[in-house]
């Protein structure tokens, strides 16, 4: 059998396809996004981006109700949005297998928090499987569908960044016969009004008890006996780190993390002299073992951020190897808005107005960093609008308050916030950054851009009509690359005593196919005033003499810098192969 | 045989992901167990990005700690300097001379670091100008493949394996330029012309 190099996310998609999945649905979120982007390439599977994770979970619930297998994907924080569906789907159970693929982001490479999805599984009373490489990702997704149908319950497969985005060798299989159930009406099972729900609550308990018995011998849990003087209980990528750091230790590798089998844990305890838990994020397995009265070796490993093989080796008495001295005084390299990013135009205007910017989740969150420094808060998807209303109610701001939200984020959770503003008589100003794509997660289509998951054209919402219909008194469209016009509209709408929406419409620089010719700085005319540099375009910097210089290989010709130069020093030039910059 | 670890360090958008992918596929084609780890998402917007490729008979962790890399291929000089502690003493270091100034330097908040070339050469670096070689190869965007060529000189894989994986992996129209870029990088190292 040939083996292929697949990322964890690609392996999940492959596993779902092999399991005969009929539908994949989700909302993009790093590190989960590539699952549906790979699944859509398989024949016989319908894949859709939903406007948010709750809608995705409900669509998946409907596919399951209709008797077909379905995979719903999201990042960890997305499960908070979908939790409303999940917690009650646990009661109803499934018809066709229903699997949630949830990707956590320990260390917050691309997230606003690092919550641990294992807690959701315990709280919702649903099983959770956790693979430790791509091969297991494929296999566990197939198991998850089997468990979902056998135990009548939705199943979570939990990934983390290092599993989702690591490529490892996988033996792939073939697609099984699509499991095609049919619909049969069963109101007592699926209509969750109190009388039915109480019975399903009891039923859920007995389903989880049956699963606990399954967990005792489940192939997803594995005892690897080596030296019996130390036994490690671990799961997920931490298993790989343990094998690297402590090659002689015995290991209980937990693949089915919820429910746990007490017998399995006690049995492993009895086979080793000392026992320790190595897990990333919350002390989930640790607390369970402690609750059982098991005396654990205190590793002192952190309960936040990512683990590493070295951290584990050191926790068990290993020595830190000799390393090279770091080179001192290196400048940090934070991520930044691309050259020609349309967002820069809006945030430059907001900074000029000294506005209090209530921000949201997307590339534009980077406007919080210097030199723009034009964002005051960013919490969760859609929070900008509700929080801006709250700031208005607090009444303490001595500067204008503006909510700023991206197009995809607005469709995700902003619409209801705006409805609230209109309903409660707010006179706030909301800016929707419509860059025609979901940029930060890698340019997915969305209902505002009117591009479907496969890239085909789809129905696009009419943002202006939508905002008017919700009750915005004024809806204006601006081109954020036109700096003066943008600033004028911002100033005008902030001053008005009514609810306004400003739609800043210009495509993300990375989806523009044909860029304009780049610009260059005319050395003679540049007065070293630095106005263009303060835009924070990565193509512009200072040369050794303190004059501005443009890297023509990076410049995409957006002309924003041209407008801030009062000395006409920035002129358009042809494309070239030389590298400017420092 | 033990595990060999290669770290590719660069700036989001420099093509480290494609380069890591080619390297991993070459190792697979030559019969190794392989793990590759990369970072997507926000860091790709011009931030520091590291790709780790590990190959050997049995590979566990997809990532490594300081002092564990056998090869460090830096696509950008500041990132080379930043990642240097990951390279074990005696490990092989290939660094692109190009400096991509990070934002604090661009806007004049921090000075551009000086004397990095000397510090890296003292650390055993082979330096080259990947962009110049890429232009010579006919495509300024093939600098990442130039660096792969330079790295390949110290890795235990046949040149033919590299070329066949590159042919498969890059867009059809760019195959010739990329193969030339690879050869230029490889020969630059073979002939020692890329030392300081
Ligand atoms: S990807 Fe698009 S939206 Fe994001 S920073 Fe770049 S240009 Fe701006
Ligand atoms: S025109 Fe100016 S602001 Fe726009 S990408 Fe080029 S250098 Fe940057």
């Amino acid at each position: 059998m040939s083996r292929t190099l697949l990322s964890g996310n690609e392996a999940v998609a492959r596993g779902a396809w092999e399991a005969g999945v009929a539908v994949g649905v989700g909302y993009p979120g790093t590190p989960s996004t590539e699952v549906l982007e790979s699944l859509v390439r398989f024949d016989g599977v319908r894949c859709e981006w939903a406007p948010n994770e709750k809608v995705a979970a409900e669509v998946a619930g409907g596919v399951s109700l209709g008797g077909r297998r379905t995979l719903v994907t999201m990042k960890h924080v997305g499960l908070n949005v979908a939790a409303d569906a999940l917690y009650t789907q646990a009661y109803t159970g499934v018809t066709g297998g229903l699997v949630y693929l949830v990707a956590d982001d320990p260390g917050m490479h691309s997230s606003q928090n690092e919550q641990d999805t294992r807690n959701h599984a315990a709280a919702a009373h649903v099983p959770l499987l956790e693979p430790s490489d791509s091969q297991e990702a494929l296999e566990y997704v197939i198991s998850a569908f089997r468990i979902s149908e056998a135990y009548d319950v939705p199943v979570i497969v939990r990934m983390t960044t290092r599993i989702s985005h690591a490529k490892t060798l996988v033996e792939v299989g073939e697609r099984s016969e699509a499991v095609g159930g049919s619909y049969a009406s069963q109101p007592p099972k699926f209509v969750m009004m109190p009388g039915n729900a109480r019975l399903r609550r009891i039923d859920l308990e007995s389903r989880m008890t049956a699963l606990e018995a399954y967990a005792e011998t489940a192939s997803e849990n594995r005892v690897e006996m080596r030296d019996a003087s130390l036994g490690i209980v671990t799961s997920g990528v931490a298993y790989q780190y343990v094998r690297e750091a402590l090659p002689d230790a015995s290991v209980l590798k937990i693949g089915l993390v919820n429910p746990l089998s007490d017998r399995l844990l006690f049995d492993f305890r009895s086979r080793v002299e000392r026992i320790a838990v190595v897990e990333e994020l919350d002390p989930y397995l640790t607390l369970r073992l402690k609750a059982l009265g098991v005396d654990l070796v205190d590793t002192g490993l952190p309960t936040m951020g990512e683990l590493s093989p070295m951290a584990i080796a050191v926790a068990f008495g290993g020595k830190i190897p000799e390393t090279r001295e770091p080179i001192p005084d290196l400048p940090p390299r934070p991520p930044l808005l691309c050259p020609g990013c349309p967002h820069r135009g809006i945030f430059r205007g907001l900074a000029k107005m000294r506005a209090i910017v209530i921000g949201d989740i997307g590339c534009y969150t980077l406007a919080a960093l210097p030199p723009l420094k034009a964002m005051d808060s960013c919490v969760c998807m859609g929070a900008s609008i509700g929080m801006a209303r709250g700031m208005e109610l607090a009444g303490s701001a001595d500067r204008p308050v503006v909510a700023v939200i991206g197009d995809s984020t607005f469709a995700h959770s902003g619409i209801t916030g705006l409805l609230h503003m209109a309903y409660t008589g707010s006179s706030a100003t909301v800016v929707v950054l419509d860059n025609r794509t979901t940029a930060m997660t890698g340019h997915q289509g969305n209902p505002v851009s009117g591009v479907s998951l496969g890239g085909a054209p789809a129905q696009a919402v009419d943002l202006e009509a939508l905002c008017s219909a919700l009750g915005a008194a004024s809806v204006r469209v601006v081109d954020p690359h036109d700096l003066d016009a943008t600033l004028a509209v911002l100033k005008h709408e902030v001053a008005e005593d009514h609810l306004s929406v400003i739609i800043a419409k210009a495509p993300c620089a990375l989806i523009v196919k044909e860029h304009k010719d780049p610009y260059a700085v005319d050395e003679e005319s540049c007065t070293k005033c630095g106005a263009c540099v303060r835009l924070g375009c990565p193509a512009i910097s200072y040369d050794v003499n303190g004059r501005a210089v443009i890297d023509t290989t990076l410049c995409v010709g957006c002309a924003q810098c041209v407008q801030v130069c009062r000395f006409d020093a920035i002129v358009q030039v042809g494309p070239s192969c030389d590298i400017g910059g420092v | 045989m033990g595990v060999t670890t290669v770290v590719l360090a660069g700036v989001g958008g420099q093509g480290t992901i494609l380069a890591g992918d080619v390297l991993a596929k070459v190792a697979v084609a030559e019969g190794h167990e392989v793990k590759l780890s990369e970072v997507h998402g926000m860091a790709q917007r011009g931030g520091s990005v590291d790709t780790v490729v590990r190959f050997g008979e049995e590979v566990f962790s997809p990532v490594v700690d300081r002092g564990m890399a056998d090869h460090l291929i830096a696509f950008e000089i500041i990132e080379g300097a930043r990642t240097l502690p990951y390279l074990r003493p005696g490990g092989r270091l290939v660094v692109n001379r190009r400096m991509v100034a990070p934002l604090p330097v661009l806007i004049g908040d921090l000075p551009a670091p000086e004397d990095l070339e000397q510090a890296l050469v003292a650390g055993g670096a082979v330096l080259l100008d990947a962009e110049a070689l890429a232009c010579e190869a006919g495509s300024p965007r093939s600098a990442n493949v130039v660096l792969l060529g330079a790295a390949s000189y110290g890795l235990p894989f046949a040149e033919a394996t590299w070329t066949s994986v590159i042919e498969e992996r890059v867009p059809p129209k760019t195959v010739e330029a990329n193969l030339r870029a690879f050869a230029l990088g490889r020969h630059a190292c073979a002939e020692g012309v890329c030392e300081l």
Side-chain angles (χ1 to χ4, degrees):
Chain A
M1 181 68 79
S2 80
R3 296 200 301 161
T4 327
L5 203 55
L6 295 182
S7 72
N9 283 348
E10 291 166 333
V12 166
R14 177 85 201 188
W17 178 76
E18 289 181 14
V21 79
V23 174
V25 59
Y27 183 77
T30 314
S32 71
T33 313
E34 301 81 10
V35 174
L36 288 188
E37 291 184 324
S38 349
L39 187 57
V40 74
R41 291 200 280 267
F42 288 96
D43 285 337
V45 188
R46 166 77 191 186
C47 289
E48 299 183 344
W49 288 130
N52 67 34
E53 296 85 355
K54 180 171 185 286
V55 172
E58 291 153 352
V59 170
V63 176
S64 166
L65 180 66
R68 298 298 165 98
R69 288 187 165 184
T70 176
L71 180 75
V72 51
T73 72
M74 61 200 66
K75 68 186 292 177
H76 57 319
V77 283
L79 185 56
N80 302 334
V81 180
D84 202 6
L86 173 69
Y87 279 56
T88 304
Q89 286 166 347
Y91 285 32
T92 66
V94 306
T95 307
L98 172 53
V99 175
Y100 278 70
L101 184 285
V102 186
D104 289 6
D105 189 17
M108 295 172 275
H109 294 278
S110 206
S111 303
Q112 67 270 39
N113 77 25
E114 61 172 8
Q115 68 187 46
D116 186 329
T117 291
R118 296 177 298 171
N119 299 312
H120 259 308
H125 307 277
V126 297
L128 180 143
L129 290 158
E130 181 171 27
S132 70
D133 61 17
S134 300
Q135 180 72 49
E136 284 184 355
L138 182 147
E139 288 166 6
Y140 285 11
V141 166
I142 297 174
S143 305
F145 280 107
R146 187 175 40 75
I147 292 171
S148 174
E149 285 165 5
Y151 293 87
D152 189 18
V153 69
V155 178
I156 297 175
V157 175
R158 179 212 188 204
M159 310 277 280
T160 56
T161 303
R162 299 300 182 184
I163 303 296
S164 282
H165 289 164
K167 292 188 175 171
T168 69
L169 286 167
V170 179
E171 227 168 75
V172 297
E174 287 309 315
R175 183 155 163 99
S176 63
E177 286 297 300
V179 189
S182 51
Y183 176 69
S185 180
Q186 306 173 71
K189 177 162 152 58
F190 284 103
V191 180
M192 284 304 93
M193 53 209 259
N196 292 340
R198 283 185 205 112
L199 295 174
R200 291 303 293 174
R201 173 75 187 89
I202 296 165
D203 193 73
L204 173 59
E205 217 48 34
S206 61
R207 284 177 272 147
M208 286 304 276
T209 307
L211 261 163
E212 213 176 300
Y214 166 77
E216 200 183 324
T217 56
S219 61
E220 293 81 20
N221 298 328
R222 182 169 81 224
V223 175
E224 297 173 2
M225 287 308 293
R226 284 175 281 270
D227 181 352
S229 66
L230 177 64
I232 308 283
V233 182
T234 186
S235 74
V237 76
Y239 164 80
Q240 305 292 355
Y241 299 161
V242 166
R243 294 291 293 119
E244 183 95 26
L246 308 168
D248 298 328
S250 295
V251 170
L252 169 57
K253 180 187 172 298
I254 308 275
L256 180 57
V257 173
N258 192 56
L260 289 167
S261 158
D262 293 349
R263 280 215 202 168
L264 185 69
L265 299 172
F266 280 131
D267 180 59
F268 184 63
R269 173 69 196 97
S270 70
R271 294 168 72 181
V272 295
E273 273 166 49
R274 295 183 309 146
I275 185 169
V277 175
V278 175
E279 61 187 326
E280 214 168 54
L281 299 188
D282 291 343
Y284 183 89
L285 301 169
T286 303
L287 290 180
R288 177 61 170 262
L289 278 151
K290 282 189 174 164
L292 293 175
V294 173
D295 193 14
L296 296 173
V297 174
D298 182 7
T299 61
L301 286 166
T303 53
M304 56 181 130
E306 292 190 287
L307 290 178
S308 76
M310 184 87 70
I312 295 166
V314 170
F316 288 89
K319 277 208 302 281
I320 300 178
E322 201 192 318
T323 56
R324 295 165 184 255
E325 284 298 310
I327 296 179
D329 302 326
L330 295 172
R333 189 185 300 278
L336 36 75
L337 297 173
C338 302
C341 176
H343 299 331
R344 199 170 275 116
I346 280 287
F347 287 100
R348 182 255 181 192
L350 291 167
K352 266 198 125 47
M353 288 165 61
R354 294 189 63 248
I356 298 173
V357 178
I358 310 299
D360 224 302
I361 310 254
C363 287
Y364 49 95
T365 316
L366 295 170
L369 303 177
L372 289 166
K373 288 201 262 185
M375 191 172 291
D376 295 83
S377 103
C378 166
V379 178
C380 63
M381 294 288 284
S384 56
I385 301 183
M387 287 182 69
R389 173 61 179 151
M391 283 288 286
E392 197 181 4
L393 293 175
S396 54
D398 54 352
R399 295 182 277 143
V401 176
V402 178
V404 180
I405 185 166
D407 49 354
S408 188
T409 310
F410 183 69
H412 181 287
S413 304
I415 297 170
T416 43
L418 189 61
L419 181 62
H420 175 82
M421 278 185 165
Y423 172 56
T424 56
S426 162
S427 55
T429 304
V430 175
V431 178
V432 180
L433 302 169
D434 179 6
N435 66 352
R436 317 305 300 157
T437 186
T438 310
M440 198 175 83
T441 47
H443 304 95
Q444 288 71 33
N446 66 50
V448 180
S449 69
V451 176
S452 70
L453 173 47
Q459 176 71 41
V461 70
D462 179 340
L463 262 191
E464 290 173 70
L466 173 65
C467 295
S468 298
L470 288 170
S474 153
V475 181
R476 306 273 300 267
V477 179
V478 298
D479 173 3
H481 290 303
D482 185 340
L483 301 182
D484 288 343
T486 298
L487 184 59
V489 170
L490 277 170
K491 280 186 169 161
H492 176 83
E493 292 302 331
V494 160
E496 288 293 320
D497 195 22
H498 60 213
L499 177 58
S500 353
V501 175
I502 300 168
I503 300 170
K505 192 167 176 175
C508 161
L510 296 192
I511 63 170
V512 175
K513 296 254 150 51
E514 293 275 305
H515 285 304
K516 301 199 185 94
D517 280 350
Y519 285 83
V521 178
D522 171 31
E523 266 185 45
E524 316 251 291
S525 322
C526 176
T527 63
K528 312 183 185 179
C529 76
C532 59
V533 177
R534 283 191 298 275
L535 274 176
C537 171
I540 314 178
S541 58
Y542 290 111
D543 70 8
V544 282
N545 301 312
R547 285 192 200 88
V549 57
I550 291 177
D551 180 340
T552 52
T553 62
L554 293 178
C555 173
V556 296
C558 77
Q560 287 188 24
C561 56
V562 181
Q563 300 166 63
V564 299
C565 177
R566 283 178 293 133
F567 308 98
D568 297 328
I570 302 180
V571 290
Q572 205 152 24
V573 295
S576 83
C577 202
D578 33 278
I579 319 285
V582 198
Chain B
M1 192 194 99
V3 173
T4 303
T5 301
V6 183
V7 173
L8 307 149
V11 178
Q14 276 196 311
T16 48
I17 288 188
L18 179 123
D21 220 52
V22 168
L23 169 55
K25 290 207 160 100
V26 166
V28 171
E30 297 232 343
H32 295 269
E33 186 73 35
V34 177
K35 287 193 176 173
L36 171 152
S37 179
E38 60 201 15
V39 169
H40 301 209
M42 194 170 245
Q44 279 178 294
R45 299 279 164 270
S48 312
V49 289
D50 296 339
T51 297
V52 179
V53 179
R54 309 190 72 205
F55 58 90
E57 221 166 89
E58 193 173 26
V59 185
F60 291 112
S61 173
V63 291
V64 290
D65 296 90
R66 290 175 172 225
M68 305 298 284
D70 303 294
H71 299 254
L72 171 56
I73 320 298
F75 287 50
E76 192 275 345
I77 195 161
I78 300 176
E79 295 313 311
R82 198 192 313 285
T83 328
L84 188 62
Y86 281 84
L87 187 66
R88 68 169 164 75
R92 187 159 179 276
L93 180 57
V94 175
V95 181
N96 186 10
R97 277 206 168 98
R98 166 130 208 236
M99 181 182 291
V100 179
L103 198 69
V105 173
L106 289 177
I107 60 177
D109 280 359
L110 289 175
E114 282 169 27
D115 306 329
L116 287 185
E117 293 200 357
Q118 281 87 329
L120 287 162
V121 167
V126 167
L127 295 169
L128 74 163
D129 187 339
E131 274 73 17
L133 291 172
C135 273
E136 196 183 319
S139 160
R141 297 194 54 89
S142 64
N144 56 345
V145 179
V146 170
L147 284 156
L148 267 184
S152 75
Y153 185 67
L155 289 164
F157 306 128
E159 193 164 351
T161 316
W162 285 101
T163 47
S164 74
V165 172
I166 291 170
E167 278 170 14
E168 253 167 56
R169 189 59 182 74
V170 303
K173 271 196 255 167
T174 68
V175 167
E176 272 183 35
N178 276 299
L179 289 180
R180 271 198 301 274
F182 181 83
L184 283 171
R186 188 171 172 97
H187 295 137
C189 274
E191 290 156 20
V193 294
C194 47
E195 317 277 331
L196 187 69

